[in-house]
Amino acid sequence: MTTRTAFREPEDFTRSEGLRALLNRLHEGGPGAWRSDPVAADLMVYAADKYGALARKHGLDPWEAASAAFDVMRTKAARTANDPWGVVTHAVRITCIAEERGQGLLCSVHQARRPHISAFHDAERLSDRENPLTDYHSAFHFTDPDPTGADEPASTTACCSTGSAVEDAIALFTLLGWPPHVARAGVEHICQALARAGSRQSAYEALRRDKHARALLDVNSTAWTALLKALLGHASPAYAATAAGRGILLRLLIGESLRALLRDDDLVLMISLAAPKPGSRS
């Protein structure tokens, strides 16, 4: 007696009809069908190649995309869909996006799929930015209330005119080792920028990037930064109520004398160390 075994042509899984037939056959074959079927192995190699570019676009390995395709292919939605490859491609794309977001947010892929989680920006180290986080993030901006009230600067400005405050500031820098022409040009330029900007914060941000002014004064970045911080004060609102936050100009305008500024050891040290030296520009 001769037993004939029916020869089955391998499914053309590159087409939707062939993929549907293959998925149905693997489903009917039971749990071990995917492991032992040679056509299933070829299918996964094809999927890794098909979705390789999509995976690399989201910073993933092609086999991670193939793994996502494998998960979708075992579902009923893929087996019964009119376009199985369309269902698989859509699911793989969503998974790749969720994988990338999960890596950026330092959370699981399941959490990254949720809109209220994925809406956040990627995690950042405090050292990833050029400026410290405390300088620009509103969560760190807390200003101590001024116990003297808002009327103090207006009432004390009368005893010290703007012109005399500028001259005292120039004298302070000159006494601490700055060339007189550099001190005068630098202070006057910053005062003009302050008048145009309308606020110390805006003026500081504009002057910090003013390479043209540095070139005209012929000073290096260290001296320029020290000049800005000394005159305008620390840029962070957290220092607004402190001597470091007020700056020389405001301190002179609210009644402090040049002698009092010379007793501020931190201020004197910063200005002295940053004094321009001949030929030191960089």
Side-chain angles (χ1 to χ4, degrees):
M1 180 177 179
T2 303
T3 303
R4 293 184 178 181
T5 302
F7 175 75
R8 174 177 294 179
E9 188 73 22
E11 297 87 349
D12 182 11
F13 51 73
T14 61
R15 301 171 61 88
S16 289
E17 296 81 0
L19 177 61
R20 185 186 304 107
L22 176 59
L23 295 180
N24 283 322
R25 180 169 64 81
L26 292 172
H27 176 68
E28 294 168 359
W34 280 91
R35 186 180 300 110
S36 58
D37 195 299
V39 183
D42 294 339
L43 172 61
M44 298 317 301
V45 173
Y46 177 78
D49 182 66
K50 180 179 178 67
Y51 299 118
L54 178 62
R56 285 187 288 271
K57 176 183 176 181
H58 295 283
L60 304 174
D61 186 87
W63 282 101
E64 292 183 87
S67 176
F70 170 70
D71 291 336
V72 181
M73 289 175 184
R74 292 184 300 161
T75 64
K76 182 179 180 180
R79 295 194 304 270
T80 60
N82 292 329
D83 182 12
W85 275 121
V87 173
V88 174
T89 300
H90 180 67
V92 170
R93 182 182 295 109
I94 293 176
T95 300
C96 288
I97 293 173
E99 286 277 2
E100 184 182 27
R101 296 295 294 132
Q103 292 178 9
L105 294 169
L106 304 181
C107 67
S108 67
V109 178
H110 175 69
Q111 289 178 311
R113 291 177 183 269
R114 299 178 178 179
H116 67 283
I117 298 295
S118 62
F120 293 106
H121 63 74
D122 288 357
E124 296 182 16
R125 294 183 177 87
L126 295 179
S127 59
D128 284 345
R129 292 178 177 259
E130 180 181 355
N131 299 324
L133 182 66
T134 54
D135 283 0
Y136 61 86
H137 200 289
S138 59
F140 295 91
H141 291 179
F142 295 97
T143 304
D144 294 334
D146 188 355
T148 59
D151 295 335
E152 182 186 358
S155 62
T156 56
T157 300
C159 69
C160 181
S161 67
T162 303
S164 62
V166 172
E167 291 300 324
D168 286 346
I170 295 171
L172 176 64
F173 279 89
T174 303
L175 290 171
L176 296 178
W178 284 59
H181 68 284
V182 175
R184 178 168 295 277
V187 172
E188 290 179 350
H189 178 77
I190 291 174
C191 289
Q192 291 172 3
L194 178 61
R196 290 193 302 268
S199 70
R200 287 184 295 152
Q201 179 72 22
S202 300
Y204 184 91
E205 289 301 320
L207 289 166
R208 183 173 59 86
R209 300 184 294 270
D210 192 350
K211 295 183 180 179
H212 180 67
R214 277 181 49 192
L216 291 178
L217 294 175
D218 194 29
V219 295
N220 58 26
S221 59
T222 302
W224 180 243
T225 302
L227 182 64
L228 291 178
K229 286 186 176 181
L231 288 173
L232 300 179
H234 199 287
S236 173
Y239 293 86
T242 66
R246 286 171 176 164
I248 291 173
L249 293 175
L250 180 58
R251 292 173 68 179
L252 289 170
L253 286 171
I254 62 176
E256 289 195 48
S257 64
L258 181 59
R259 187 184 300 274
L261 295 179
L262 287 170
R263 289 197 294 267
D264 188 333
D265 294 337
D266 292 336
L267 178 64
V268 169
L269 183 62
M270 179 181 68
I271 296 175
S272 300
L273 293 178
K277 305 296 188 300
S280 63
R281 180 173 176 261
S282 59

